[in-house]
Amino acid sequence: MRAVRLPVVTAAATVAALTALTACTTKSGAESGDHVIQVTASDDACKVSKKEFPAGHIELAIENKGSKVTEVYVLFPDDRIVAERENIGPGTKQRITAEVKAGDYRIACKPGMKGDGIRQEVKATGGTVAKRDPKLDRAVADYRRYAQEQADETLPRVKTFVEAIKAGDLEAAKKAYAISRLGWERTEPVAESFGDIDPKVDVRADGLEDGQKWTGWHRLEKALWADKKIGAEEKTLADQLLTDLEDWQKRVGTAEITPTSMANGAKELLDEVATGKVTGEEDRYAHTDLVDFKGNVEGAQKAYELLKPVAQKNDPALAQELDKQFAALEKLLDTYRTDKTSYDFVSYDKVGKDKRKELSDAVNALAEPLSKLAAAVVK
């Protein structure tokens, strides 16, 4: 389910497209300057210190003065995401750094993390973008291929899942459910950046907007495990899931991905694990959270491995720490496999509180150095 998004733009929109993105929650840079935008969020307002700024690197210094958890976005006029930060608690401050080309944008605050948010129109003017290391161009090309491969591999698995539902075979559908999600989970930030697809295929009941019909994987998950039934509606929803994912598969090939968005996407995958998988909220009926968990970690590691040649040169200590923490988390996850040659894991409802904390600690130990990867690749 959507927690964070990796900025992706279509090839047709490259004139005003995002060229690089880094995001962090620690203080960086000066508190003021042409490129620093103060964003004050509250329950009923989203105030920005300036509505025009030079293109290139910008930094949003965000303070939540409201009583609700909020999220802040930099958006293109058509609502594609340039940069975002979610789960900004009341009374807390966070910072987002992005690199944008000249053009019109919107800064949006979403109190309660619901709806379209409170928006301010802003503009980036002039500015240039530094030349990219050719190694990073190769990393981007390889990652784009990886994202497409994951989408291509997902469709046959989803077809198996859908066919079982349409045949009314409850047990076969249950067996096909978790593996059908693996490619999506590996590239979740890329997939979720197509904002109209994610609400259709991967939303949970508590993530529905007012008036939104519940469709997708988790609606079918509830039918299979909680309701223990496959009716006419479920068969129709299965067909819709396949159609929506075919749409995603076609769009992945149009994506333009940057080195820093890859790096931040890797961190966002770990955040997704921390907020949905470790808690057991993601697959609350099927309890197949560890399969999703594994997919998220594999996707994060793939992005890191592609960026590693540059990151290792620029910050060898960081690369060493990331290697160590990825290995530790993978080793821990493997202890929950029931079959070392497949993606069969123990049911997550059988994982106790202490063990969940152990998993959470391992995720946090990796997420902290991973948050520094974007900065390392642009040194």
Side-chain angles (χ1 to χ4, degrees):
M1 177 191 169
R2 179 189 175 283
V4 281
R5 292 178 182 165
L6 175 68
V8 174
V9 295
T10 61
T14 53
V15 173
L18 168 70
T19 57
L21 169 68
T22 59
C24 60
T25 58
T26 56
K27 182 175 178 180
S28 62
E31 290 294 332
S32 61
D34 289 345
H35 293 272
V36 179
I37 306 162
Q38 307 290 333
V39 179
T40 305
S42 65
D43 294 344
D44 56 8
C46 185
K47 298 179 181 179
V48 298
S49 61
K50 62 190 70 173
K51 295 191 176 181
E52 191 168 306
F53 42 83
H57 284 100
I58 61 169
E59 185 168 23
L60 271 61
I62 304 164
E63 182 174 7
N64 183 5
K65 291 189 174 182
S67 62
K68 302 176 182 177
V69 175
T70 196
E71 52 192 22
V72 174
Y73 293 78
V74 181
L75 302 167
F76 288 110
D78 62 1
D79 276 5
R80 287 176 294 115
I81 295 172
V82 177
E84 70 170 311
R85 177 57 62 188
E86 297 184 347
N87 298 306
I88 305 171
T92 64
K93 298 179 180 181
Q94 295 195 25
R95 300 180 82 92
I96 306 173
T97 303
E99 188 175 321
V100 295
K101 287 186 176 180
D104 294 324
Y105 299 90
R106 293 170 179 163
I107 293 176
C109 306
K110 293 188 180 182
M113 301 196 297
K114 290 280 190 177
D116 293 332
I118 305 161
R119 301 180 173 210
Q120 297 283 359
E121 304 288 334
V122 297
K123 180 186 288 291
T125 60
T128 58
V129 178
K131 187 177 180 180
R132 183 186 294 169
D133 186 326
K135 292 180 181 178
L136 295 177
D137 287 331
R138 288 195 292 273
V140 167
D142 288 344
Y143 188 76
R144 186 181 296 112
R145 282 192 291 272
Y146 172 73
Q148 185 65 64
E149 287 168 359
Q150 293 307 307
D152 293 345
E153 291 173 7
T154 294
L155 264 294
R157 294 168 178 167
V158 172
K159 287 178 181 177
T160 299
F161 177 56
V162 169
E163 287 168 0
I165 290 175
K166 296 188 72 174
D169 192 333
L170 193 71
E171 292 308 313
K174 285 182 176 182
K175 184 177 180 180
Y177 168 77
I179 197 68
S180 76
R181 294 172 48 77
L182 193 57
W184 176 277
E185 294 295 332
R186 286 171 175 156
T187 59
E188 196 162 7
V190 177
E192 289 176 344
S193 68
F194 301 106
D196 59 329
I197 297 178
D198 178 66
K200 297 177 184 178
V201 306
D202 200 32
V203 69
R204 302 191 303 249
D206 52 352
L208 295 169
E209 298 286 350
D210 292 340
Q212 179 185 349
K213 182 181 178 181
W214 191 15
T215 61
W217 268 305
H218 294 302
R219 166 63 179 83
L220 293 167
E221 176 201 0
K222 180 178 182 296
L224 297 175
W225 274 273
D227 303 333
K228 297 180 173 58
K229 73 177 185 68
I230 298 174
E233 183 180 6
E234 284 73 32
K235 293 177 182 180
T236 298
L237 289 172
D239 278 334
Q240 182 180 339
L241 173 65
L242 181 57
T243 297
D244 291 335
L245 289 171
E246 286 172 339
D247 185 22
W248 160 57
Q249 179 196 27
K250 292 174 184 176
R251 294 200 214 179
V252 170
T254 69
E256 180 180 324
I257 302 169
T258 67
T260 45
S261 67
M262 287 170 58
N264 283 297
K267 168 61 165 60
E268 290 159 5
L269 283 168
L270 267 292
D271 291 342
E272 174 72 7
V273 172
T275 58
K277 278 67 173 185
V278 169
T279 62
E281 296 175 68
E282 183 75 7
D283 298 296
R284 62 190 63 175
Y285 309 107
H287 305 300
T288 54
D289 304 85
L290 287 170
V291 181
D292 286 2
F293 190 141
K294 177 70 170 176
N296 285 158
V297 173
E298 287 181 339
Q301 189 163 16
K302 180 66 175 182
Y304 164 60
E305 291 294 342
L306 292 173
L307 295 169
K308 184 177 175 179
V310 173
Q312 194 169 40
K313 177 182 176 182
N314 292 343
D315 194 337
L318 177 64
Q320 184 177 22
E321 181 65 14
L322 285 169
D323 287 342
K324 174 184 173 182
Q325 296 301 337
F326 266 117
L329 182 54
E330 287 284 354
K331 182 177 180 180
L332 180 59
L333 266 178
D334 280 347
T335 65
Y336 293 94
R337 283 182 184 264
T338 56
D339 182 346
K340 303 299 182 183
T341 64
S342 70
Y343 283 86
D344 292 335
F345 286 83
V346 300
S347 182
Y348 201 58
D349 59 336
K350 306 300 182 185
V351 179
K353 183 177 179 180
D354 290 346
K355 293 297 185 180
R356 292 189 184 196
K357 184 179 185 304
E358 183 182 29
L359 286 165
S360 179
D361 289 345
V363 169
N364 292 336
L366 172 58
E368 193 281 325
L370 199 57
S371 69
K372 302 173 184 178
L373 180 59
V377 300
V378 296
K379 279 186 178 180

